[in-house]
Amino acid sequence: MQSEAFVLIFPAWILLLFLCKKRREAGLFALASVISIVLTSLFNHLLLGHASIRDTGFGFDLSRVWRTFLEPETGVLLFLPWSLAAFCFLLLAFLHRNPNAPDQQMVLKMVAGGILPVAAVYMILPYTGQFCYGPRYWVPYVPWLALAFGIGVKQYWGIIPTLVRLLLMVLIYISVVFAIMAAILPPDDIWHHTSYYPLKLLLGL
């Protein structure tokens, strides 16, 4: 009901469950998906006269598909630097099999299956958030990215180099500073600015 792009999570998870040989779960989830889509569409139709709550335009421009990750005012990697590691851990879940933690690997795959299809939509939207603070489209996924980050760190902490560990801690620290500084200042002062702009204001730079 909030955003039609989230519907893509349904086929992604159904396919993932099927490929993981969880066919009964895939069937049940498919049934629940169809029911929820039908009920939501009917609800929208009763209120608005049509199934969708908005008209969304798309456009593919190869030179701009990375804006949702790197645009100065709304790029998720610039406001949540630790999310870069989270995306890497999600990718590793498909490329590297960890027999010692199959359940955690499955969680990472489910998170990836829920995030990547919608991220693909974000890459072709004509805008990445408009007037706001930070990557507002990514807000629903921050808990999922944090979960992926935590699981990934738990799995690979003992084998990654010390320098990489220090880098991960620095990325977390930077993200916390950005969040705290933004929470202190009024929205009108910091919306549609870079991630480090609130810190510049507080320091009088």
Side-chain angles (χ1 to χ4, degrees), residues 129-204:
Q130 295 180 298
F131 188 66
C132 60
Y133 176 75
R136 71 180 181 90
Y137 289 159
W138 286 94
V139 169
Y141 292 108
V142 172
W144 285 11
L145 289 172
L147 178 63
F149 182 89
I151 292 175
V153 166
K154 182 178 180 181
Q155 287 189 356
Y156 298 105
W157 190 257
I159 61 175
I160 57 179
T162 302
L163 183 60
V164 177
R165 299 182 194 179
L166 291 174
L167 177 60
L168 291 178
M169 289 188 286
V170 169
L171 294 179
I172 293 174
Y173 176 76
I174 293 173
S175 301
V176 170
V177 170
F178 287 164
I180 292 176
M181 296 301 99
I184 293 174
L185 294 169
D188 290 343
D189 291 345
I190 61 173
W191 278 30
H192 210 61
H193 286 285
T194 59
S195 56
Y196 55 84
Y197 183 75
L199 185 58
K200 288 177 60 178
L201 283 182
L202 289 173
L203 296 178

Side-chain angles (χ1 to χ4, degrees), residues 44-64:
N44 288 339
H45 184 75
L46 288 173
L47 291 180
L48 305 173
H50 47 84
S52 175
I53 64 174
R54 67 173 61 85
D55 295 322
T56 304
F58 299 92
F60 184 77
D61 184 347
L62 188 59
S63 65
R64 305 182 70 187

Side-chain angles (χ1 to χ4, degrees), residues 14-91:
I14 293 167
L15 178 62
L16 183 59
L17 288 169
F18 185 82
L19 293 177
C20 291
K21 298 181 180 180
K22 297 179 179 291
R23 298 185 177 181
R24 181 175 180 274
E25 290 88 344
L28 290 173
F29 189 74
L31 178 62
S33 302
V34 171
I35 292 174
S36 66
I37 291 173
V38 169
L39 291 179
T40 301
S41 299
L42 288 174
F43 182 76
N44 288 339
H45 184 75
L46 288 173
L47 291 180
L48 305 173
H50 47 84
S52 175
I53 64 174
R54 67 173 61 85
D55 295 322
T56 304
F58 299 92
F60 184 77
D61 184 347
L62 188 59
S63 65
R64 305 182 70 187
V65 295
W66 300 105
R67 291 178 307 155
T68 188
F69 301 104
L70 298 173
E71 190 165 61
E73 294 83 11
T74 55
V76 63
L77 297 181
L78 301 181
F79 283 81
L80 301 171
W82 58 264
S83 64
L84 175 61
F87 285 116
C88 291
F89 290 140
L90 293 177
L91 182 61

